[in-house]
Amino acid sequence: MYTMKEACKLVNMSYETLKFYCKSGLIPNLHRDERNRRLFDDRNIAWINSLNCLRACGMGIEEMRRYMELCMEGESTIPERQRILAEKRRILVQRMEEIRRSIDYVDAKQTFYDDVLSGRARYFSNLIDTGTPSSEIPERLAATFHTGPWTERTAEED
């Protein structure tokens, strides 16, 4: 059995967050000592690690509670849990693509700045008129500067 403090270290969670999760009913089968202090067993620790992952997937408290309830109902709820996780996965993949496009944008900007500072490229800006004709904008930057990494999303994706 683990105390709150020990459990926090094991699952890399703040004391306040773990206490909130407990009070929110997200940690079933919680044990108490003779002074009514929370105690956690290995199953609790494994579940809290799952909660960390579900939270990182973008689940809110109510979604995590619903997922927990489904888990507690047993094997018959696996199809519903699969549906929930498949949707979270779809959103994560979308976020990963957005992050990749943002990294590409930052990399292109850094290269551009390096090229300007070294004299390999003329400076231009979307915000101010620098006198640089659009024909001199490097091809690798033209689309990025005009559309940005976030504009490839459709209204359906929002």
Side-chain angles (χ1 to χ4, degrees):
M1 294 294 211
Y2 306 98
T3 65
M4 279 280 286
K5 188 175 179 180
E6 292 167 333
C8 289
K9 285 184 180 181
L10 287 171
V11 299
N12 195 29
M13 184 180 284
S14 73
Y15 187 93
E16 293 77 18
T17 300
L18 184 54
K19 186 175 179 181
F20 177 76
Y21 281 12
C22 291
K23 286 185 173 189
S24 297
L26 288 173
I27 305 170
N29 308 315
L30 197 56
H31 307 279
R32 299 276 183 164
D33 69 9
E34 64 280 351
R35 292 187 175 169
N36 203 33
R37 292 179 294 203
R38 294 175 184 93
L39 293 174
F40 302 85
D41 61 22
D42 289 331
R43 288 181 123 172
N44 296 135
I45 298 300
W47 175 245
I48 296 165
N49 281 324
S50 295
L51 289 174
N52 275 335
C53 187
L54 294 174
R55 185 70 184 136
C57 288
M59 276 194 192
I61 297 297
E62 289 305 315
E63 287 177 296
M64 289 191 291
R65 185 177 293 117
R66 175 67 182 137
Y67 186 83
M68 178 201 68
E69 290 166 355
L70 290 169
C71 290
M72 294 191 67
E73 288 179 35
E75 191 175 333
S76 65
T77 65
I78 287 176
E80 177 66 10
R81 288 183 269 161
Q82 282 183 311
R83 187 198 62 72
I84 291 168
L85 293 177
E87 175 61 14
K88 290 302 172 188
R89 185 183 192 289
R90 184 192 68 75
I91 292 167
L92 287 170
V93 168
Q94 179 182 331
R95 281 182 22 206
M96 228 169 42
E97 181 59 23
E98 291 169 0
I99 290 169
R100 186 202 55 78
R101 288 193 305 261
S102 295
I103 290 170
D104 289 348
Y105 172 81
V106 168
D107 288 348
K109 289 290 281 190
Q110 292 287 37
T111 299
F112 171 67
Y113 293 149
D114 288 343
D115 289 349
V116 168
L117 292 174
S118 69
R120 291 187 300 265
R122 285 182 60 185
Y123 178 72
F124 66 93
S125 171
N126 286 328
L127 299 175
I128 60 173
D129 183 4
T130 61
T132 301
S134 58
S135 61
E136 290 187 28
I137 297 174
E139 190 175 322
R140 73 178 188 285
L141 293 177
T144 302
F145 275 81
H146 296 294
T147 61
W150 48 87
T151 58
E152 294 178 34
R153 295 180 60 185
T154 65
E156 294 174 44
E157 295 176 32
D158 288 326

